[in-house]
Amino acid sequence: METGLIEQLRSQLGTNGLPYVFPIHPNLVHLTLGLFIIGITFDFVGVLFPLQQPIFKFLALPATRSNFFDVGWYNMLGSAIITFFTLAAGFYEMMLAEPSVEVKSAWGLKAMETMLWHGVGGVFLLAIIVGMTVWRGLQRFVWRKEEDRQVQWTYLVAGMAVMFLLYVHGTLGAQLAAEFGVHNTADYLLRAGENPNAFLK
């Protein structure tokens, strides 16, 4: 964001460069990731249920195949919904970012390149997650509603590919915080010449 505009907001910004104590985007990111991963994982368990059924019986766990698919569906739906808020918080916090301009990331990218890739990638991943949710809903309510196995193998393979993209995208976000100091309270204090240990007690 333009430095002059940030100067106008400076009195309202905390030591992390935001008008609130903790960045919202990283917390929502982990909710998006967790819901998506749990959704795909439980669908995998549902697909492989006939192989695992003896284990559930041995452990006296009253598990049914449809319950695993229920968990898969509702977690995927939750992931799609929360990702809209994740993206919105990310763009808001990116507008207030003041990254270190002289640093390069472990991937050889400068701050602005990393932020652009992370922002564009976030929009792309939102579209993919929503698309995966629609695909999952069609399988649940239309294509396979009469079948025991609610999801297709192609859906599960696509879900694994999306998890890899989420890993790459998340690494860019981690680099923004760890290497460029974006909304990192300790980094802001160090740049201001303060001792984080004394300030954050």
Side-chain angles (χ1 to χ4, degrees), residues 11-48:
S11 63
Q12 300 170 22
L13 301 181
T15 51
N16 60 1
L18 294 169
Y20 35 84
V21 177
F22 300 107
I24 295 170
H25 177 70
N27 294 306
L28 293 180
V29 161
H30 287 91
L31 191 53
T32 290
L33 286 170
L35 290 170
F36 187 89
I37 292 168
I38 289 169
I40 294 295
T41 301
F42 272 79
D43 279 338
F44 259 111
V45 174
V47 167
L48 300 174

mmCIF file of all heavy atoms in Angstrom, residues 11-48:
data_model
loop_
_atom_site.group_PDB
_atom_site.id
_atom_site.type_symbol
_atom_site.label_atom_id
_atom_site.label_comp_id
_atom_site.label_asym_id
_atom_site.label_seq_id
_atom_site.Cartn_x
_atom_site.Cartn_y
_atom_site.Cartn_z
ATOM 1 N N SER A 11 -1.491 5.762 13.604
ATOM 2 C CA SER A 11 -1.916 5.847 15.009
ATOM 3 C C SER A 11 -2.907 4.744 15.374
ATOM 4 O O SER A 11 -3.062 4.411 16.541
ATOM 5 C CB SER A 11 -2.537 7.210 15.300
ATOM 6 O OG SER A 11 -3.703 7.387 14.513
ATOM 7 N N GLN A 12 -3.563 4.189 14.378
ATOM 8 C CA GLN A 12 -4.551 3.138 14.635
ATOM 9 C C GLN A 12 -3.960 1.729 14.507
ATOM 10 O O GLN A 12 -4.629 0.761 14.825
ATOM 11 C CB GLN A 12 -5.724 3.275 13.649
ATOM 12 C CG GLN A 12 -6.437 4.609 13.752
ATOM 13 C CD GLN A 12 -7.419 4.808 12.609
ATOM 14 O OE1 GLN A 12 -7.867 3.866 11.997
ATOM 15 N NE2 GLN A 12 -7.737 6.062 12.325
ATOM 16 N N LEU A 13 -2.731 1.635 14.009
ATOM 17 C CA LEU A 13 -2.118 0.327 13.785
ATOM 18 C C LEU A 13 -1.309 -0.114 14.993
ATOM 19 O O LEU A 13 -0.633 0.702 15.624
ATOM 20 C CB LEU A 13 -1.223 0.352 12.540
ATOM 21 C CG LEU A 13 -1.908 0.730 11.223
ATOM 22 C CD1 LEU A 13 -0.908 0.701 10.080
ATOM 23 C CD2 LEU A 13 -3.087 -0.178 10.935
ATOM 24 N N GLY A 14 -1.372 -1.387 15.306
ATOM 25 C CA GLY A 14 -0.601 -1.941 16.417
ATOM 26 C C GLY A 14 0.818 -2.292 15.999
ATOM 27 O O GLY A 14 1.262 -1.965 14.892
ATOM 28 N N THR A 15 1.517 -2.990 16.879
ATOM 29 C CA THR A 15 2.915 -3.329 16.600
ATOM 30 C C THR A 15 3.069 -4.356 15.489
ATOM 31 O O THR A 15 4.171 -4.568 14.993
ATOM 32 C CB THR A 15 3.596 -3.872 17.875
ATOM 33 O OG1 THR A 15 2.789 -4.913 18.417
ATOM 34 C CG2 THR A 15 3.797 -2.777 18.897
ATOM 35 N N ASN A 16 1.975 -4.983 15.087
ATOM 36 C CA ASN A 16 2.059 -5.921 13.969
ATOM 37 C C ASN A 16 1.630 -5.266 12.651
ATOM 38 O O ASN A 16 1.516 -5.944 11.636
ATOM 39 C CB ASN A 16 1.204 -7.168 14.238
ATOM 40 C CG ASN A 16 -0.267 -6.833 14.423
ATOM 41 O OD1 ASN A 16 -0.672 -5.678 14.335
ATOM 42 N ND2 ASN A 16 -1.072 -7.842 14.688
ATOM 43 N N GLY A 17 1.385 -3.960 12.666
ATOM 44 C CA GLY A 17 0.997 -3.262 11.448
ATOM 45 C C GLY A 17 -0.474 -3.400 11.109
ATOM 46 O O GLY A 17 -0.889 -3.075 10.002
ATOM 47 N N LEU A 18 -1.282 -3.874 12.054
ATOM 48 C CA LEU A 18 -2.716 -4.063 11.835
ATOM 49 C C LEU A 18 -3.508 -3.351 12.933
ATOM 50 O O LEU A 18 -2.990 -3.140 14.027
ATOM 51 C CB LEU A 18 -3.066 -5.563 11.854
ATOM 52 C CG LEU A 18 -2.493 -6.412 10.716
ATOM 53 C CD1 LEU A 18 -2.683 -7.894 11.006
ATOM 54 C CD2 LEU A 18 -3.124 -6.034 9.392
ATOM 55 N N PRO A 19 -4.773 -3.016 12.664
ATOM 56 C CA PRO A 19 -5.574 -2.343 13.700
ATOM 57 C C PRO A 19 -6.143 -3.293 14.747
ATOM 58 O O PRO A 19 -7.028 -2.923 15.505
ATOM 59 C CB PRO A 19 -6.702 -1.683 12.884
ATOM 60 C CG PRO A 19 -6.822 -2.504 11.663
ATOM 61 C CD PRO A 19 -5.452 -3.038 11.370
ATOM 62 N N TYR A 20 -5.667 -4.525 14.787
ATOM 63 C CA TYR A 20 -6.075 -5.495 15.798
ATOM 64 C C TYR A 20 -4.856 -6.317 16.199
ATOM 65 O O TYR A 20 -3.824 -6.319 15.514
ATOM 66 C CB TYR A 20 -7.215 -6.392 15.308
ATOM 67 C CG TYR A 20 -7.168 -6.746 13.841
ATOM 68 C CD1 TYR A 20 -6.392 -7.806 13.371
ATOM 69 C CD2 TYR A 20 -7.910 -6.018 12.912
ATOM 70 C CE1 TYR A 20 -6.353 -8.135 12.022
ATOM 71 C CE2 TYR A 20 -7.873 -6.341 11.563
ATOM 72 C CZ TYR A 20 -7.101 -7.401 11.129
ATOM 73 O OH TYR A 20 -7.055 -7.721 9.799
ATOM 74 N N VAL A 21 -4.948 -7.011 17.321
ATOM 75 C CA VAL A 21 -3.781 -7.640 17.940
ATOM 76 C C VAL A 21 -3.226 -8.801 17.120
ATOM 77 O O VAL A 21 -2.023 -8.902 16.911
ATOM 78 C CB VAL A 21 -4.136 -8.134 19.368
ATOM 79 C CG1 VAL A 21 -2.958 -8.855 19.996
ATOM 80 C CG2 VAL A 21 -4.564 -6.959 20.235
ATOM 81 N N PHE A 22 -4.089 -9.691 16.651
ATOM 82 C CA PHE A 22 -3.635 -10.875 15.931
ATOM 83 C C PHE A 22 -4.122 -10.828 14.488
ATOM 84 O O PHE A 22 -5.291 -10.518 14.242
ATOM 85 C CB PHE A 22 -4.158 -12.162 16.592
ATOM 86 C CG PHE A 22 -3.708 -12.325 18.009
ATOM 87 C CD1 PHE A 22 -4.594 -12.140 19.055
ATOM 88 C CD2 PHE A 22 -2.394 -12.644 18.306
ATOM 89 C CE1 PHE A 22 -4.192 -12.280 20.366
ATOM 90 C CE2 PHE A 22 -1.974 -12.783 19.613
ATOM 91 C CZ PHE A 22 -2.868 -12.595 20.646
ATOM 92 N N PRO A 23 -3.248 -11.162 13.527
ATOM 93 C CA PRO A 23 -3.701 -11.240 12.137
ATOM 94 C C PRO A 23 -4.825 -12.270 11.994
ATOM 95 O O PRO A 23 -4.757 -13.363 12.564
ATOM 96 C CB PRO A 23 -2.442 -11.680 11.379
ATOM 97 C CG PRO A 23 -1.300 -11.329 12.265
ATOM 98 C CD PRO A 23 -1.815 -11.447 13.664
ATOM 99 N N ILE A 24 -5.852 -11.925 11.260
ATOM 100 C CA ILE A 24 -6.996 -12.819 11.067
ATOM 101 C C ILE A 24 -6.714 -13.851 9.978
ATOM 102 O O ILE A 24 -7.066 -15.025 10.110
ATOM 103 C CB ILE A 24 -8.258 -12.002 10.714
ATOM 104 C CG1 ILE A 24 -8.645 -11.110 11.893
ATOM 105 C CG2 ILE A 24 -9.422 -12.903 10.319
ATOM 106 C CD1 ILE A 24 -9.722 -10.098 11.572
ATOM 107 N N HIS A 25 -6.065 -13.408 8.908
ATOM 108 C CA HIS A 25 -5.860 -14.284 7.746
ATOM 109 C C HIS A 25 -5.176 -15.609 8.078
ATOM 110 O O HIS A 25 -5.683 -16.661 7.678
ATOM 111 C CB HIS A 25 -5.086 -13.522 6.662
ATOM 112 C CG HIS A 25 -4.759 -14.337 5.464
ATOM 113 N ND1 HIS A 25 -5.718 -14.752 4.559
ATOM 114 C CD2 HIS A 25 -3.572 -14.825 5.009
ATOM 115 C CE1 HIS A 25 -5.137 -15.460 3.606
ATOM 116 N NE2 HIS A 25 -3.845 -15.527 3.853
ATOM 117 N N PRO A 26 -4.061 -15.618 8.825
ATOM 118 C CA PRO A 26 -3.416 -16.919 9.105
ATOM 119 C C PRO A 26 -4.315 -17.884 9.870
ATOM 120 O O PRO A 26 -4.271 -19.088 9.640
ATOM 121 C CB PRO A 26 -2.189 -16.542 9.946
ATOM 122 C CG PRO A 26 -1.936 -15.111 9.639
ATOM 123 C CD PRO A 26 -3.282 -14.505 9.363
ATOM 124 N N ASN A 27 -5.142 -17.360 10.768
ATOM 125 C CA ASN A 27 -6.047 -18.238 11.516
ATOM 126 C C ASN A 27 -7.107 -18.844 10.604
ATOM 127 O O ASN A 27 -7.413 -20.033 10.687
ATOM 128 C CB ASN A 27 -6.700 -17.473 12.664
ATOM 129 C CG ASN A 27 -5.675 -17.050 13.700
ATOM 130 O OD1 ASN A 27 -4.939 -17.873 14.209
ATOM 131 N ND2 ASN A 27 -5.614 -15.764 13.987
ATOM 132 N N LEU A 28 -7.670 -18.028 9.719
ATOM 133 C CA LEU A 28 -8.671 -18.546 8.790
ATOM 134 C C LEU A 28 -8.054 -19.499 7.777
ATOM 135 O O LEU A 28 -8.701 -20.457 7.345
ATOM 136 C CB LEU A 28 -9.382 -17.385 8.078
ATOM 137 C CG LEU A 28 -10.259 -16.500 8.957
ATOM 138 C CD1 LEU A 28 -10.896 -15.389 8.129
ATOM 139 C CD2 LEU A 28 -11.328 -17.306 9.663
ATOM 140 N N VAL A 29 -6.806 -19.238 7.398
ATOM 141 C CA VAL A 29 -6.108 -20.141 6.468
ATOM 142 C C VAL A 29 -6.053 -21.548 7.048
ATOM 143 O O VAL A 29 -6.321 -22.537 6.353
ATOM 144 C CB VAL A 29 -4.678 -19.630 6.174
ATOM 145 C CG1 VAL A 29 -3.801 -20.744 5.628
ATOM 146 C CG2 VAL A 29 -4.711 -18.485 5.196
ATOM 147 N N HIS A 30 -5.712 -21.639 8.322
ATOM 148 C CA HIS A 30 -5.597 -22.961 8.930
ATOM 149 C C HIS A 30 -6.961 -23.639 9.054
ATOM 150 O O HIS A 30 -7.059 -24.865 8.995
ATOM 151 C CB HIS A 30 -4.882 -22.867 10.280
ATOM 152 C CG HIS A 30 -3.421 -22.597 10.122
ATOM 153 N ND1 HIS A 30 -2.912 -21.323 10.102
ATOM 154 C CD2 HIS A 30 -2.371 -23.429 9.924
ATOM 155 C CE1 HIS A 30 -1.611 -21.378 9.917
ATOM 156 N NE2 HIS A 30 -1.252 -22.641 9.800
ATOM 157 N N LEU A 31 -8.013 -22.852 9.201
ATOM 158 C CA LEU A 31 -9.359 -23.421 9.208
ATOM 159 C C LEU A 31 -9.708 -23.961 7.818
ATOM 160 O O LEU A 31 -10.231 -25.073 7.682
ATOM 161 C CB LEU A 31 -10.367 -22.360 9.662
ATOM 162 C CG LEU A 31 -11.769 -22.832 9.988
ATOM 163 C CD1 LEU A 31 -11.767 -23.981 10.995
ATOM 164 C CD2 LEU A 31 -12.600 -21.677 10.510
ATOM 165 N N THR A 32 -9.411 -23.179 6.779
ATOM 166 C CA THR A 32 -9.623 -23.647 5.403
ATOM 167 C C THR A 32 -8.874 -24.944 5.149
ATOM 168 O O THR A 32 -9.440 -25.916 4.643
ATOM 169 C CB THR A 32 -9.150 -22.576 4.397
ATOM 170 O OG1 THR A 32 -10.029 -21.453 4.440
ATOM 171 C CG2 THR A 32 -9.126 -23.109 2.982
ATOM 172 N N LEU A 33 -7.593 -24.960 5.489
ATOM 173 C CA LEU A 33 -6.761 -26.149 5.267
ATOM 174 C C LEU A 33 -7.301 -27.357 6.025
ATOM 175 O O LEU A 33 -7.434 -28.449 5.465
ATOM 176 C CB LEU A 33 -5.319 -25.883 5.722
ATOM 177 C CG LEU A 33 -4.468 -24.984 4.845
ATOM 178 C CD1 LEU A 33 -3.172 -24.639 5.560
ATOM 179 C CD2 LEU A 33 -4.179 -25.644 3.524
ATOM 180 N N GLY A 34 -7.599 -27.156 7.298
ATOM 181 C CA GLY A 34 -8.057 -28.263 8.126
ATOM 182 C C GLY A 34 -9.356 -28.862 7.615
ATOM 183 O O GLY A 34 -9.488 -30.077 7.501
ATOM 184 N N LEU A 35 -10.318 -28.013 7.270
ATOM 185 C CA LEU A 35 -11.605 -28.511 6.783
ATOM 186 C C LEU A 35 -11.437 -29.251 5.466
ATOM 187 O O LEU A 35 -12.034 -30.319 5.257
ATOM 188 C CB LEU A 35 -12.587 -27.347 6.633
ATOM 189 C CG LEU A 35 -13.074 -26.705 7.930
ATOM 190 C CD1 LEU A 35 -13.836 -25.412 7.637
ATOM 191 C CD2 LEU A 35 -13.940 -27.668 8.727
ATOM 192 N N PHE A 36 -10.618 -28.705 4.555
ATOM 193 C CA PHE A 36 -10.425 -29.355 3.253
ATOM 194 C C PHE A 36 -9.740 -30.707 3.422
ATOM 195 O O PHE A 36 -10.187 -31.719 2.863
ATOM 196 C CB PHE A 36 -9.598 -28.453 2.330
ATOM 197 C CG PHE A 36 -9.495 -28.988 0.925
ATOM 198 C CD1 PHE A 36 -10.446 -28.649 -0.016
ATOM 199 C CD2 PHE A 36 -8.469 -29.841 0.556
ATOM 200 C CE1 PHE A 36 -10.371 -29.152 -1.317
ATOM 201 C CE2 PHE A 36 -8.386 -30.349 -0.728
ATOM 202 C CZ PHE A 36 -9.340 -29.996 -1.670
ATOM 203 N N ILE A 37 -8.669 -30.736 4.207
ATOM 204 C CA ILE A 37 -7.915 -31.987 4.395
ATOM 205 C C ILE A 37 -8.775 -33.047 5.086
ATOM 206 O O ILE A 37 -8.772 -34.215 4.697
ATOM 207 C CB ILE A 37 -6.610 -31.713 5.166
ATOM 208 C CG1 ILE A 37 -5.656 -30.885 4.293
ATOM 209 C CG2 ILE A 37 -5.947 -33.006 5.614
ATOM 210 C CD1 ILE A 37 -4.475 -30.306 5.028
ATOM 211 N N ILE A 38 -9.533 -32.639 6.102
ATOM 212 C CA ILE A 38 -10.407 -33.591 6.793
ATOM 213 C C ILE A 38 -11.479 -34.108 5.837
ATOM 214 O O ILE A 38 -11.800 -35.299 5.830
ATOM 215 C CB ILE A 38 -11.041 -32.943 8.044
ATOM 216 C CG1 ILE A 38 -9.978 -32.754 9.130
ATOM 217 C CG2 ILE A 38 -12.187 -33.796 8.582
ATOM 218 C CD1 ILE A 38 -10.434 -31.898 10.298
ATOM 219 N N GLY A 39 -12.025 -33.215 5.000
ATOM 220 C CA GLY A 39 -13.043 -33.631 4.042
ATOM 221 C C GLY A 39 -12.544 -34.707 3.094
ATOM 222 O O GLY A 39 -13.183 -35.750 2.908
ATOM 223 N N ILE A 40 -11.372 -34.477 2.501
ATOM 224 C CA ILE A 40 -10.801 -35.465 1.562
ATOM 225 C C ILE A 40 -10.418 -36.744 2.304
ATOM 226 O O ILE A 40 -10.652 -37.858 1.818
ATOM 227 C CB ILE A 40 -9.576 -34.868 0.832
ATOM 228 C CG1 ILE A 40 -9.998 -33.708 -0.074
ATOM 229 C CG2 ILE A 40 -8.851 -35.934 0.020
ATOM 230 C CD1 ILE A 40 -10.888 -34.080 -1.230
ATOM 231 N N THR A 41 -9.842 -36.602 3.497
ATOM 232 C CA THR A 41 -9.403 -37.775 4.266
ATOM 233 C C THR A 41 -10.583 -38.681 4.624
ATOM 234 O O THR A 41 -10.511 -39.903 4.463
ATOM 235 C CB THR A 41 -8.668 -37.330 5.549
ATOM 236 O OG1 THR A 41 -7.547 -36.530 5.184
ATOM 237 C CG2 THR A 41 -8.205 -38.526 6.355
ATOM 238 N N PHE A 42 -11.677 -38.090 5.096
ATOM 239 C CA PHE A 42 -12.833 -38.908 5.465
ATOM 240 C C PHE A 42 -13.492 -39.541 4.241
ATOM 241 O O PHE A 42 -14.028 -40.641 4.331
ATOM 242 C CB PHE A 42 -13.831 -38.100 6.290
ATOM 243 C CG PHE A 42 -13.534 -38.143 7.761
ATOM 244 C CD1 PHE A 42 -12.541 -37.348 8.319
ATOM 245 C CD2 PHE A 42 -14.230 -39.003 8.595
ATOM 246 C CE1 PHE A 42 -12.254 -37.397 9.667
ATOM 247 C CE2 PHE A 42 -13.952 -39.062 9.954
ATOM 248 C CZ PHE A 42 -12.956 -38.262 10.491
ATOM 249 N N ASP A 43 -13.435 -38.858 3.102
ATOM 250 C CA ASP A 43 -13.946 -39.491 1.880
ATOM 251 C C ASP A 43 -13.073 -40.681 1.489
ATOM 252 O O ASP A 43 -13.576 -41.699 1.012
ATOM 253 C CB ASP A 43 -14.026 -38.472 0.746
ATOM 254 C CG ASP A 43 -15.276 -37.606 0.830
ATOM 255 O OD1 ASP A 43 -16.255 -38.031 1.478
ATOM 256 O OD2 ASP A 43 -15.288 -36.511 0.250
ATOM 257 N N PHE A 44 -11.759 -40.560 1.674
ATOM 258 C CA PHE A 44 -10.863 -41.698 1.437
ATOM 259 C C PHE A 44 -11.227 -42.864 2.352
ATOM 260 O O PHE A 44 -11.313 -44.009 1.917
ATOM 261 C CB PHE A 44 -9.395 -41.308 1.679
ATOM 262 C CG PHE A 44 -8.625 -41.030 0.427
ATOM 263 C CD1 PHE A 44 -8.213 -39.747 0.134
ATOM 264 C CD2 PHE A 44 -8.304 -42.045 -0.456
ATOM 265 C CE1 PHE A 44 -7.501 -39.468 -1.025
ATOM 266 C CE2 PHE A 44 -7.589 -41.792 -1.612
ATOM 267 C CZ PHE A 44 -7.188 -40.496 -1.903
ATOM 268 N N VAL A 45 -11.439 -42.565 3.634
ATOM 269 C CA VAL A 45 -11.797 -43.619 4.592
ATOM 270 C C VAL A 45 -13.117 -44.268 4.190
ATOM 271 O O VAL A 45 -13.271 -45.488 4.262
ATOM 272 C CB VAL A 45 -11.865 -43.055 6.031
ATOM 273 C CG1 VAL A 45 -12.386 -44.104 6.999
ATOM 274 C CG2 VAL A 45 -10.496 -42.555 6.477
ATOM 275 N N GLY A 46 -14.066 -43.451 3.711
ATOM 276 C CA GLY A 46 -15.336 -43.998 3.259
ATOM 277 C C GLY A 46 -15.185 -44.912 2.062
ATOM 278 O O GLY A 46 -15.809 -45.977 1.989
ATOM 279 N N VAL A 47 -14.344 -44.531 1.118
ATOM 280 C CA VAL A 47 -14.111 -45.361 -0.068
ATOM 281 C C VAL A 47 -13.443 -46.675 0.317
ATOM 282 O O VAL A 47 -13.767 -47.740 -0.209
ATOM 283 C CB VAL A 47 -13.267 -44.582 -1.111
ATOM 284 C CG1 VAL A 47 -12.734 -45.505 -2.190
ATOM 285 C CG2 VAL A 47 -14.106 -43.473 -1.729
ATOM 286 N N LEU A 48 -12.502 -46.611 1.249
ATOM 287 C CA LEU A 48 -11.757 -47.810 1.662
ATOM 288 C C LEU A 48 -12.426 -48.550 2.814
ATOM 289 O O LEU A 48 -11.847 -49.486 3.368
ATOM 290 C CB LEU A 48 -10.326 -47.413 2.061
ATOM 291 C CG LEU A 48 -9.496 -46.746 0.956
ATOM 292 C CD1 LEU A 48 -8.169 -46.267 1.516
ATOM 293 C CD2 LEU A 48 -9.295 -47.675 -0.224
#
